[in-house]
Amino acid sequence: CALPIFAFFPLIFQTVNVFHGHTKNTNFRKNEVRTMEKFIVRHSEALHGTVRISGAKNAVLPILAACLLTEEPCTITNVPPLTDVMEMAELLEEFGAETSYDGLTETIRICSETLSNQQAAEKNACAMRASFLAAGPLLARCHQAALPLPGGCPIGSRPVDLHLKGFSIMGAVHKLEHGVVELSAKNGLRGKRVYLDFPSVGATENIMMAATLAKGTTTIENAAAEPEICDLADFLRKMGAEITGDGTDTIVIQGQKRLHGATHNVISDRIEAGTFMTAAAITGGDILLEQVRQEHLTPVIAKLTECNAKTEVTPTGLRVYRKGRLRPIQLKTMPYPGFPTDMQALFMSLAAVTKGTSVITETVFENRFMHAAELQRMGADIKIDSRSAIIEGVDSLTGTSVRATDLRAGAALILSALAARGETEISDIYHIERGYDRIEEKLRALGADIQRSKDS
């Protein structure tokens, strides 16, 4: 199939850097290097220009895991070279898969012909939440799996109990020892009715993948309906799976004896798109987003409209601009098609410089207001009351030293820094690079004053 992906890392990143105009070769797989970098952001006037939105990280990760379901090669395109993506590829290699990545075409090729191992090492699996998505494919194909409890951003409790509940109903047994979940299904998985107590995206994806090779029909009720679920279902259908109902709260999977290889182009990242849309609003700019799916952005568009930002569909993309003053908002995060929790921090940055009182309620994760303290360091007037944040808009924020506490919080701090007076230093930017490809370059192309620097 290909050489292991880590053998290509120096070439991959040198190629990507040259192609995108970098002057140095940075191996972002080394946390000790990434934690020594920071962003220096200065006040920027209205951003203008065109930006291409990358492939969706949250769609790529389950699709890569799904490649374990077949012994035939799979080719996935529109795959950004993000930290999480490369760590998932390395995880697949631990199981025996062979992977290679082409940075110029953003294409990853995976061949899982031989799976010599069904146990993940702690260092990779604990690094990101999506590592547990390998459990379903391994159980379905190999009838066993062992994965450490996953990590990721510290935004709240994200247990895997719903994943395990679904696997148990389908005939698997599990035990937890020393932080490792061991699963087995000696006689294979059986199709069953699985009701999810909460429409968990990860549990829906994991059970759906496991069901593709189970005996009989599996019905997932109260399933998540996110676009990333539908993209995974599209890929599985290309592999020969029989799936209906994705995008609704009831998904039906008819198990197959085997799946085959497939080629798939990943959907665009709706959260990255929402980030640049919010950047246009907070700076009073005018940005054209290319390679976006407007139907995936309905709640974001609705709330930006309430803020007095305008959106316009053009032949080449989605235009977002603002003329006039921002208006305060009230929003509540909800599972799709509600307002996405991943956009909450970005809208808090917007509300912080909007005259009047805005209220943001977080219903998905209980610890997702950590960025509020960092925004307060910049002069934001924010009060936290349980799961709600009350934001009194100020005339302007002031640049200072802040820290990215998680992926989306880091992006929110960048947007606040663009609107703030003076200079802002943002540390721990490795969080940001888990989900944004070259965000500083894309922003600079729009007129932002942002640089990467060593953090002493």
Side-chain angles (χ1 to χ4, degrees):
C1 294
L3 289 175
I5 194 166
F6 53 76
F8 285 82
F9 278 162
L11 177 60
I12 289 170
F13 296 115
Q14 184 176 11
T15 301
V16 172
N17 289 340
V18 169
F19 182 72
H20 292 307
H22 287 262
T23 58
K24 63 179 180 179
N25 180 17
T26 303
N27 184 346
F28 59 27
R29 294 196 53 74
K30 297 182 179 179
N31 277 338
E32 64 272 21
V33 173
R34 292 187 286 121
T35 54
M36 294 176 62
E37 293 187 329
K38 61 184 177 183
F39 285 141
I40 307 296
V41 189
R42 299 176 183 86
H43 176 79
S44 300
E45 300 300 328
L47 302 185
H48 289 84
T50 301
V51 61
R52 174 188 171 274
I53 301 303
S54 300
K57 180 199 79 163
N58 290 336
V60 171
L61 299 179
I63 286 172
L64 295 186
C67 294
L68 296 172
L69 289 165
T70 178
E71 60 187 28
E72 297 182 12
C74 295
T75 300
I76 316 300
T77 59
N78 198 29
V79 178
L82 302 172
T83 311
D84 276 10
V85 172
M86 297 307 162
E87 286 178 346
M88 177 62 87
E90 186 172 348
L91 181 67
L92 300 188
E93 289 172 5
E94 283 190 38
F95 300 132
E98 297 179 344
T99 72
S100 65
Y101 181 77
D102 185 336
L104 286 175
T105 61
E106 295 192 341
T107 298
I108 190 168
R109 294 176 176 84
I110 299 174
C111 183
S112 305
E113 181 178 6
T114 302
L115 296 182
S116 55
N117 177 39
Q118 289 85 48
Q119 181 165 350
E122 184 175 357
K123 67 181 181 68
N124 289 325
C126 288
M128 59 177 175
R129 174 69 182 173
S131 63
F132 204 74
L133 291 174
L138 288 175
L139 259 182
R141 183 174 166 192
C142 304
H143 301 173
Q144 61 182 350
L147 293 105
L149 290 173
C153 286
I155 58 177
S157 175
R158 295 186 285 181
V160 296
D161 57 330
L162 293 181
H163 304 238
L164 299 179
K165 173 185 175 181
F167 296 151
S168 297
I169 292 172
M170 297 172 71
V173 296
H174 67 271
K175 62 179 179 178
L176 176 63
E177 290 188 353
H178 308 295
V180 176
V181 180
E182 298 180 9
L183 302 118
S184 65
K186 293 183 180 180
N187 298 318
L189 296 173
R190 300 183 302 276
K192 294 288 183 176
R193 172 184 172 272
V194 178
Y195 176 83
L196 298 179
D197 298 321
F198 177 83
S200 162
V201 173
T204 300
E205 292 169 337
N206 230 340
I207 296 167
M208 185 165 65
M209 288 187 286
T212 60
L213 293 179
K215 299 175 184 177
T217 302
T218 300
T219 301
I220 307 174
E221 297 178 345
N222 198 29
E226 273 74 359
E228 293 79 14
I229 299 283
C230 298
D231 204 36
L232 173 61
D234 285 343
F235 175 60
L236 293 171
R237 279 190 285 264
K238 291 177 182 178
M239 297 174 72
E242 187 177 322
I243 302 173
T244 58
D246 48 294
T248 74
D249 62 0
T250 302
I251 301 176
V252 180
I253 309 100
Q254 179 65 49
Q256 306 295 311
K257 290 185 177 181
R258 66 184 300 273
L259 299 180
H260 53 73
T263 297
H264 183 74
N265 188 65
V266 175
I267 59 173
S268 59
D269 195 316
R270 60 193 172 101
I271 306 303
E272 184 191 16
T275 300
F276 282 96
M277 294 165 73
T278 311
I282 201 169
T283 65
D286 190 335
I287 300 176
L288 177 65
L289 286 73
E290 293 182 333
Q291 194 170 299
V292 295
R293 300 276 290 272
Q294 182 192 4
E295 65 271 22
H296 296 168
L297 295 164
T298 301
V300 177
I301 291 173
K303 287 301 174 182
L304 283 175
T305 300
E306 290 182 24
C307 290
N308 198 31
K310 314 295 183 185
T311 59
E312 176 185 324
V313 178
T314 75
T316 56
L318 180 65
R319 179 190 174 201
V320 185
Y321 60 98
R322 174 172 68 85
K323 293 180 180 178
R325 300 180 64 173
L326 289 167
R327 293 193 293 257
I329 55 166
Q330 293 194 13
L331 67 83
K332 178 186 292 186
T333 64
M334 297 287 286
Y336 190 86
F339 189 88
T341 180
D342 281 349
M343 287 297 302
Q344 177 256 109
L346 299 149
F347 269 69
M348 188 176 290
S349 290
L350 189 63
V353 293
T354 300
K355 186 176 181 179
T357 303
S358 296
V359 179
I360 297 177
T361 302
E362 172 63 51
T363 71
V364 180
F365 293 118
E366 75 278 6
N367 194 30
R368 204 159 198 180
F369 284 148
M370 291 188 296
H371 50 277
E374 301 301 308
L375 292 175
Q376 287 168 339
R377 289 173 54 82
M378 301 178 70
D381 185 351
I382 303 171
K383 295 179 177 62
I384 305 299
D385 181 10
S386 185
R387 288 203 170 194
S388 292
I390 298 92
I391 306 107
E392 294 288 345
V394 298
D395 291 335
S396 64
L397 300 174
T398 303
T400 187
S401 296
V402 291
R403 181 176 67 91
T405 55
D406 61 71
L407 167 56
R408 306 306 173 184
L413 291 174
I414 292 177
L415 298 195
S416 291
L418 293 175
R421 291 182 287 108
E423 180 179 282
T424 303
E425 293 187 3
I426 305 173
S427 60
D428 288 357
I429 64 173
Y430 65 91
H431 283 299
I432 302 171
E433 294 183 324
R434 288 184 51 235
Y436 292 93
D437 177 28
R438 301 174 295 112
I439 189 171
E440 79 278 18
E441 293 183 27
K442 291 183 177 183
L443 286 168
R444 272 202 303 272
L446 298 171
D449 188 345
I450 176 173
Q451 303 293 332
R452 181 187 295 265
S453 174
K454 291 293 182 181
D455 190 345
S456 60

